[in-house]
Every structure is written in C-alpha cells, then in structure tokens.
Amino acid sequence: MTSSPSSPYAGGRPDPADGTTAPDGESAPTGKYLLDNARAEAGERFVWLAELFDGVTRGHFARLGVGAGSRCWEVGAGGTSIPEALAAAVGPSGHVLATDIDPSWLKAGDGYEVRRHDVVADPPPEPGTFDLVHARLVLVHVPDRARALATMAAALRPGGWLLVEDADTALQPLACLDDSGPAQQRANRLRDAIRQLLAGRGADLRFGRTLPRALRDAGLVDVAAAGSFPVGGLACDRLEASTIRHVRDELLASGLTDDAELDAHLAAIDAGQLDLTLAPLISAWGRRPTEPPLD
C-alpha cells in the first residue's frame, strides 16, 4: 500500500520509518505497522470496512463528480472494493490507478491499474492529471502526513478533487457506548489497549479532526468535511473480532491483557452481547485551484 489505514479498523499499511510523538507527549517507538497486510485477518477487515464505509465513500465520489471518463488515483487501496467501484464509475473511457506499499490484495486487470507505491517516499504518479485522488484510513499511520498530502495534491489536475477519509479514535475512544456491564467494560478496556499499541507505533489518534486544516495547508480550496459513525450490527462485530485476532500476540506481549480476557471478549462478540461501534470516520475534500494563488 502507499501508506496505511487507521485505528483498529484500518487495513494493513506502512511501517513508520521514524519515531514520532504519541498523544501523551512521549516519544513513540518505531516498529512495523500494527495492522499490516501480511496476515489473513487483513482480508477480513477489508470486507467489513467495505460493508461499513463504502456507501459513504461512493456518495462522496458522486458528489465530487466522478463519472465516465474520470481519471482517479486510489492511494493505499488495501482491498479491491474501492478500485472496483471507481472502475465501474469511470467506465472504459476513464482510468483508475490503485497503489499501495503492499498491493498483494489487489487484482490487476479488474478494470484498474495496480502499482506498488509509497505516498511519502515516491513522487506522484502522472502529476497534474487526476480528477480525483482518494485515500481512506491511510494517512493516520503515515510518518510524514504533510508530505503525503503534498504528493496527492500534486497529482491533481487544476480543478481536481482530493478526498481523504480517516478515523479519529481520540474523538470517540469507546468500543461500547453503553458500558453498562462487565462485557461492555471489558470491550472498552481492550479498545483502549489497542489504541495504546497504535500510538506506540506512531499513529496520530487525533488526525481525523485536523483534515480540513491539513487540506487547506496543502493549498486546496473549497474545503469541507463530514463524519460517519456506525453503531452496532454484524459488520462492527466481525471487524472487531478480526482486529482482535490480528493483534492478539501484540496485546499479550504488551502485558495489557491476557488470554482469558481476550477469549471472553471474542465469545461475547460471537454471542451478540455487545453493541460495538467504531471511531468516527471523518471525510474531508478540497479542490486544486484552477488559477495560481496571488502573491
């Protein structure tokens, strides 16, 4: 992937290259991205993330004018659902490029081009040519977010749109909003443990709320944003279970939990006892100016 997704809900992404500062101000250690694509659970997360958020994302595509003949770049694509949706929208007269630092889950030849690309380290592909550049649950894990945004903005044609969607796990940190019993309180403890692991790997747990300002700082205009906040249901349950399985070893090694607590949480999910939720997904968009800014 070109980068990484976000929060316990993200699909696999990059390895932060340098230590960053965690929300508590302490230096965060370097390390491999917590939810990388190398494990089977990454594919499960892609499925449930698509179920939860693809409708939201496709709505933004339509609002920003993606249609027949559009040229689109999907950054940090992860799975196939968004590249496929873009390919269907632009048709044979358009073009969709899907990139990731680990593109192993993508399928070249399904109506979109696949390339390995690092949005921080590599120059923009085909600069100044795209009608839409999109990244979902990617930048929160990128060590140099401003540089990644500059790379994506440089790929836009004048008048083209950048759409960035990222979670803000500090804005709403709970797994269960109604923490009325032991199972719900356990779920919230484990969600906090995962947040600690993410922060320790350099994730910015407050990034989502900063997106409008970040897009303006990247030189974009007509900036706006919206939020999506799923609560309860099968997709939230399955996403939580796959995430717990994915990071189980790291949780145990950290000493933040034990096998008994993790097994009890997974059993409660399977029994349908929890109304699980996610951090809000903040979607922000801005347009590359058609005229150069005045001095």
Side-chain angles (χ1 to χ4, degrees):
M1 315 188 157
T2 37
S3 299
S4 63
S6 105
S7 79
Y9 331 123
R13 299 287 188 261
D15 302 346
D18 300 306
T20 59
T21 300
D24 60 7
E26 297 182 358
S27 178
T30 61
K32 188 177 182 182
Y33 174 60
L34 186 64
L35 295 169
D36 63 48
N37 284 359
R39 305 183 191 180
E41 290 86 357
E44 296 176 29
R45 285 199 317 277
F46 295 153
V47 169
W48 299 114
L49 282 167
E51 179 71 19
L52 289 163
F53 292 126
D54 274 14
V56 173
T57 299
R58 289 195 305 268
H60 293 312
F61 290 163
R63 188 175 301 109
L64 298 177
V66 175
S70 294
R71 290 178 49 83
C72 304
W73 176 22
E74 178 66 13
V75 178
T80 62
S81 67
I82 291 300
E84 288 174 353
L86 285 171
V90 307
S93 61
H95 176 68
V96 175
L97 172 64
T99 65
D100 207 302
I101 60 171
D102 177 6
S104 56
W105 293 92
L106 299 172
K107 300 175 182 178
D110 280 11
Y112 54 89
E113 180 186 357
V114 176
R115 294 187 202 172
R116 187 182 302 276
H117 182 272
D118 185 325
V119 74
V120 173
D122 298 333
E126 303 163 30
T129 66
F130 289 98
D131 300 291
L132 175 85
V133 176
H134 172 247
R136 187 175 73 189
L137 296 172
V138 170
L139 294 188
V140 68
H141 300 283
V142 172
D144 190 342
R145 298 171 187 92
R147 184 174 178 181
L149 282 168
T151 297
M152 291 189 285
L156 294 168
R157 66 164 179 80
W161 290 93
L162 175 59
L163 171 63
V164 179
E165 303 180 284
D166 260 303
D168 191 317
T169 62
L171 187 62
Q172 194 300 100
L174 300 177
C176 291
L177 300 176
D178 178 16
D179 60 346
S180 56
Q184 290 77 18
Q185 293 161 11
R186 178 178 58 235
N188 286 338
R189 285 196 304 274
L190 290 172
R191 180 65 58 83
D192 183 66
I194 293 173
R195 292 176 66 246
Q196 290 185 54
L197 292 181
L198 286 165
R201 302 293 181 95
D204 182 352
L205 304 183
R206 299 172 178 266
F207 181 62
R209 72 191 70 180
T210 72
L211 281 172
R213 171 169 51 85
L215 294 187
R216 288 193 297 271
D217 289 347
L220 303 180
V221 298
D222 298 333
V223 173
S228 178
F229 187 34
V231 179
L234 177 64
C236 286
D237 288 352
R238 294 300 95 202
L239 184 58
E240 175 77 1
S242 63
T243 299
I244 291 292
R245 291 195 299 272
H246 194 140
V247 302
R248 181 173 188 131
D249 290 346
E250 289 84 354
L251 285 168
L252 293 172
S254 71
L256 294 169
T257 186
D258 56 33
D259 278 313
E261 186 169 52
L262 291 171
D263 289 342
H265 181 50
L266 289 170
I269 296 171
D270 289 341
Q273 297 175 359
L274 305 173
D275 296 307
L276 292 163
T277 187
L278 307 182
L281 181 75
I282 309 299
S283 304
W285 54 92
R287 181 175 57 83
R288 181 175 176 178
T290 55
E291 301 292 339
L294 298 176
D295 294 332

